């Protein structure tokens, strides 16, 4: 056996304090990417760029020591394109230079010859030519073929929903630097540090223990950094290793918008059958998911679309088919709701259209079909602690729906061009990763000798407040002041094999893991206190408000003394715990199981005003009854509900992702991509947390909150549609989100395009 340090020592490779790379030595990377949507690379000439002053190296696939493969669920995505490009923005090379501007300028000197191939952008077209990411998936319950004969009404239609840019405030980015022993440390803005670690090891041809990923916090992720933070982290790692210095890659906003995927646009067909009372008997739906050029998380997202096919309604006969269609767009990815919102927009559209045919009010149809206790979802799970009805009815009462209705009627009577309307949006969202293996997390808790505490988990803080919740949980567990506790960065060395911070599960999974780790230490401390205080039964000991209590009597022994004494007596003040959600499973072959630990319910009432001359609209108010369980942190939870609502409304109304006929993103800046700002946001958001509704399956009886409120935003689409129908009752209804101002006008005035152009031609003549 050799002393493995001695080789490095002799070669001068061991790092001492003075050897850390000074920040002024950092190099900058700039990504050179495909200008076309589909084609073959005939030649790539980097010589002129490489010779520019300040340029240190240009990486292509040829420089990869391991595999040129970053695909997660399916290995179908190259880090750098080798022979073929499949979307505008696909990385081909990385220019590394002494500063960012030099790198960017040099990238303009790279010469590429491409042979263009025919691109496909439309998911139905991709489906037609057999361009699929994976085989189709089907969820079903009951007998759809027999069910149609029992229906009094059968209504069919088509629904389109658009993409959505994540627009996290902090763009994608990473810094990587070499550490002795051929190791690389990566700071990455990622929701999934373990994924970055795994893929970096794969690309560099090394083992995972040689890659350390550290995440302090994200300036927002929203799903956009679950898979797609990886590329830039791995590129930085590749460059850091080769050039033996620190390398930083930060995507400028425009490149971030162009190079990364977004929420999946869907095109869907539905057929819904109801009896004469409005009960839904049958629902058949086909989803065409626009996956983009690689799988990314599309298979898992497609599956969640199927899980949320029926939203919060009970339907006895369902058949849902889903295709993940491969197109020449950037690979679309996780976005708050993870395919759920797309499914829920379709079922709401189906109900809306059914209401027009049956003459039964849309909201009456919603109520008639709401889930009840023990109703079965198409995937076999039964609704337990079902709060669909109570949320809906509490909302009607609490926010005086009848009064709202009559005020709207009165307003519309008096106004010809300005119309008001309301809509109601009930939601039901399953909590757990539907890939069962991901429902695990770990925590590492240290108490230091001064009584302060450090907590490491798998959770990534991205603005959603998970650290605030973990702090609160730790503080409750030890019964010490939050000021004594620090939530550490998320680091693959302290928490290994972690799941992404996603599926709204971070606080649940990591919260439980923290509780279990704290419990281990508390047990030791109680036992030790009993010894110290000469108490035979350690169960009589309690640690409360930073003091040790015996038989409910406060003793002199305080937290800091206890910790010091425990240390001196060689009691371990650290613990690690692993938590796995119990009793969840899903059989992918049968598409049945119990994938969710529980569901989150809620109902929103949305009121809008539409200017039917101008096509503009205002979201007047959003009022919500939301099922949170017992909130661990009401301020954080309120923020999540409000933020989700704003983001959901944006998806349905003003946010429109547009690619031109060559597949180039034209909404690639904030001048062309519109998001809800403070003026557009609802004047009033009122959130009522459902009372007396503890959740047996969450830490301290809480419920997950991150994604579900997003889907309240869907109500804004139908509110606007209803207002438009107030103005023009015979308007042809199309379900095509987002309902931009242009789309409002074009729906209200059928020949408006010709009218407008005629107007300008006539004006020109004058
Ligand atoms: N809130 C903020 N401020 N920033 C974010 O990036 N991401 C959302 C949601 N809320 C996000 C957010 C998404 S997509 C998810 S899955 C959850 O937060 C993840 O965090 P949680 O599991 O702690 O709820
Ligand atoms: C919700 C999620 C995710 C999910 C399933 C959900 C998610 C995610 C995966 C995933 C990742 C890698 C795999 C896989 C699934 O599933 O975020 O099969 O190999 O990454 O219901 O948020
Ligand atoms: Mo959230 S879309 O699960 O990151």
């Amino acid at each position: 056996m050799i002393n493995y340090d001695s080789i490095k020592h002799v070669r001068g490779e061991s790092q001492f304090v003075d050897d850390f790379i000074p920040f002024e030595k950092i190099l900058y990377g700039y990504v050179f990417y495909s200008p076309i949507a589909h084609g073959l690379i005939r030649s790539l000439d980097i010589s002129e760029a490489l010779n520019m002053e300040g340029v240190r190296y240009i990486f292509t696939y040829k420089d990869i020591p391991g595999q040129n493969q970053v695909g997660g669920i399916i290995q179908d995505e190259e880090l750098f394109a080798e022979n073929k490009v499949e979307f505008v923005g696909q990385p081909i090379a990385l220019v590394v230079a002494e500063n960012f501007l030099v790198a960017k300028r040099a990238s303009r000197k790279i010469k590429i010859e491409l042979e263009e191939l025919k691109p496909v952008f439309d998911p139905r077209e991709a489906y037609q030519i057999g361009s699929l990411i994976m085989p189709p998936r089907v969820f079903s319950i009951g007998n759809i073929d027999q069910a149609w004969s029992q229906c009094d009404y059968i209504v069919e239609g088509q629904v389109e929903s658009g993409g959505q840019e994540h627009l996290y405030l902090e763009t994608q980015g990473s810094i990587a630097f070499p550490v002795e022993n051929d190791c690389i440390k990566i700071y990455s803005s990622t929701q999934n540090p373990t994924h970055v670690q795994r893929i970096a090891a794969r690309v560099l041809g090394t083992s995972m223990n040689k890659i350390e990923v550290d995440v302090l916090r994200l300036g927002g992720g929203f799903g956009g950094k679950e898979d797609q933070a990886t590329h830039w982290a791995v590129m930085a790692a590749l460059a850091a290793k080769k050039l033996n210095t620190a390398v930083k890659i930060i995507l400028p906003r425009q490149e971030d918008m162009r190079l990364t995927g977004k929420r999946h646009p869907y095109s869907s067909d539905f057929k819904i059958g109801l009896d004469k009372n409005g009960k839904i008997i049958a629902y058949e739906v086909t989803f065409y998911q626009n996956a983009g050029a690689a799988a990314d998380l599309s298979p898992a997202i497609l599956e969640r679309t199927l899980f949320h096919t029926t939203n919060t309604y009970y339907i006895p006969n369902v058949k849902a088919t889903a295709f993940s269609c491969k197109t020449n767009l950037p690979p679309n990815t996780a976005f708050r709701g993870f395919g759920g919102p797309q499914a829920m927009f379709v079922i709401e559209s189906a109900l809306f259209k059914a209401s027009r045919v049956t003459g039964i009010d849309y909201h009456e149809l919603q109520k008639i079909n709401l889930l009840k206790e023990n109703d079965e979802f198409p995937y076999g799970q039964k609704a337990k602690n079902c709060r669909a009805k109570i949320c809906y009815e509490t909302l009607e009462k609490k926010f005086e729906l009848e009064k709202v209705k009559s005020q709207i009627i009165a307003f519309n009577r008096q106004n010809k061009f300005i119309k008001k309307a309301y809509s109601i949006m009930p939601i039901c969202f399953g909590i757990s990763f539907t890939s069962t293996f991901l429902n695990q997390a770990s925590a590492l808790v240290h108490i230091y000798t001064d009584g302060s505490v450090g907590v490491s988990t798998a959770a990534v803080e991205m603005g959603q407040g998970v650290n605030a919740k973990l702090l609160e949980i730790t503080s409750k567990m030890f019964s010490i002041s939050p000021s004594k506790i620090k939530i550490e960065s998320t680091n693959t060395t302290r928490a290994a094999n972690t799941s992404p911070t996603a599926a709204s599960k971070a606080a649940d999974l990591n919260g439980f893991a923290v509780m279990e780790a704290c419990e281990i230490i508390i047990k030791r401390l109680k036992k030790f206190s009993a010894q110290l205080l000469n108490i035979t039964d350690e169960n009589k000991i309690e640690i409360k408000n930073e003091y040790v209590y015996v038989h409910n009597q406060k003793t002199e022994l305080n937290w800091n003394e206890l910790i010091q004494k425990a240390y001196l007596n060689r009691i371990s003040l650290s613990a690690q715990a692993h938590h796995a959600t119990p009793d969840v499973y899903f059989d992918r072959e049968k598409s049945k199981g119990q994938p969710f630990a529980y569901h989150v319910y809620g109902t929103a009432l949305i009121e809008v005003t539409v200017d039917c001359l101008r096509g503009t609209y205002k979201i007047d108010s959003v009022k919500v009854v939301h099922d949170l369980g017992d909130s661990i942190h009401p301020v954080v939870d309120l923020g999540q509900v409000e933020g989700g609502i704003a983001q959901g409304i944006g998806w349905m109304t003003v946010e429109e992702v547009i690619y031109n006929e060559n597949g180039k993103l034209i909404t690639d800046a904030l001048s062309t991509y519109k998001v809800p700002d403070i003026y557009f946001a609802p004047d009033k958001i009122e959130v009522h947390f459902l009372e007396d509704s503890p959740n047996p399956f969450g830490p301290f009886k809480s419920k997950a909150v991150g994604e579900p409120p997003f889907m309240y935003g869907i109500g804004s689409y139908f509110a606007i549609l209803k207002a438009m129908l107030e103005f023009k009752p015979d308007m042809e209804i199309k379900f095509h989100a987002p309902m931009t101002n242009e789309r409002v006008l074009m729906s209200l005035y059928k020949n408006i395009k010709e009218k407008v152009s005629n107007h300008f031609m006539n004006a020109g003549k004058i």
Side-chain angles (χ1 to χ4, degrees), residues 143-367:
N143 187 331
I144 194 83
D145 297 319
Q146 283 177 16
W148 300 117
S149 62
Q150 303 159 38
C151 301
D152 296 308
Y153 301 100
I154 295 175
V155 182
E156 293 180 66
Q158 185 172 332
V159 180
E160 311 289 331
S161 64
Q164 187 176 25
E165 164 62 41
H166 299 85
L167 217 86
Y168 24 64
L169 282 177
E170 177 201 27
T171 58
Q172 303 272 4
S174 168
I175 297 176
F177 55 92
V179 185
E180 65 172 48
N181 273 329
D182 286 329
C183 296
I184 300 286
K185 181 159 181 181
I186 304 173
Y187 290 110
S188 167
S189 180
T190 178
Q191 289 174 242
N192 198 348
T194 291
H195 187 66
V196 169
Q197 180 192 28
R198 186 183 294 122
I199 304 297
R202 187 200 285 167
V203 171
L204 298 189
T206 187
S207 50
M208 284 173 76
N209 62 357
K210 296 206 163 183
I211 309 285
E212 178 185 346
V213 181
D214 197 281
V215 184
L216 191 53
R217 69 166 60 69
L218 274 53
F222 305 110
K225 293 170 181 171
E226 202 183 318
D227 228 53
Q228 302 206 355
T230 310
H231 306 58
W232 336 107
V234 172
M235 286 179 198
L238 178 71
K241 180 153 186 181
K242 164 100 184 171
L243 303 175
N244 200 30
T245 190
V247 176
K248 172 167 161 175
I249 300 175
I250 305 286
L251 296 191
R253 176 64 67 187
Q254 195 165 47
E255 257 90 47
D256 187 297
M257 293 177 86
R258 285 179 183 167
L259 272 55
T260 65
K262 315 194 181 307
R263 181 184 294 285
H264 294 74
Y266 274 59
S267 182
S268 313
D269 296 315
F270 69 80
K271 181 173 169 187
I272 192 167
L274 306 94
D275 72 12
K276 59 178 187 310
N277 301 317
K279 256 215 154 333
I280 310 170
I281 306 293
Y283 182 54
E284 189 168 3
V285 57
T286 308
F287 300 106
Y288 299 90
Q289 177 197 54
N290 192 336
D296 192 277
L297 291 165
S298 297
I301 292 164
L302 191 80
E303 195 176 53
R304 197 173 263 279
T305 299
L306 290 170
F307 281 113
H308 293 90
T309 295
T310 55
N311 187 12
T312 187
Y313 308 112
Y314 173 64
I315 309 180
N317 303 286
V318 178
K319 184 177 178 202
T321 309
F323 300 102
S324 183
C325 308
K326 181 174 162 160
T327 61
N328 295 103
L329 294 177
N332 287 315
T333 194
F335 198 137
R336 208 172 195 167
F338 209 72
Q342 288 93 326
M344 284 154 70
F345 181 54
V346 179
I347 182 78
E348 292 303 322
S349 297
L351 282 180
F352 194 92
K353 191 158 181 184
S355 83
R356 309 278 298 170
V357 175
T358 59
I360 307 173
D361 182 66
Y362 166 44
H363 304 298
E364 205 50 48
L365 284 182
Q366 289 179 327
K367 274 173 69 173

Side-chain angles (χ1 to χ4, degrees), residues 73 226 297 300 304 338 432-435 437-438 500 502-503 588:
I73 298 177
E226 202 183 318
L297 291 165
R304 197 173 263 279
F338 209 72
S432 286
F433 288 96
T434 53
S435 303
F437 74 95
L438 291 173
R588 284 230 166 104

Side-chain angles (χ1 to χ4, degrees), residues 220-223 335-337 462-464 466 501-507 640 705-707:
F222 305 110
F335 198 137
R336 208 172 195 167
M462 49 186 176
Q464 88 279 37
V466 69
T501 290
S504 308
K505 260 297 237 196
Q640 284 295 293
V705 69
E707 291 166 289

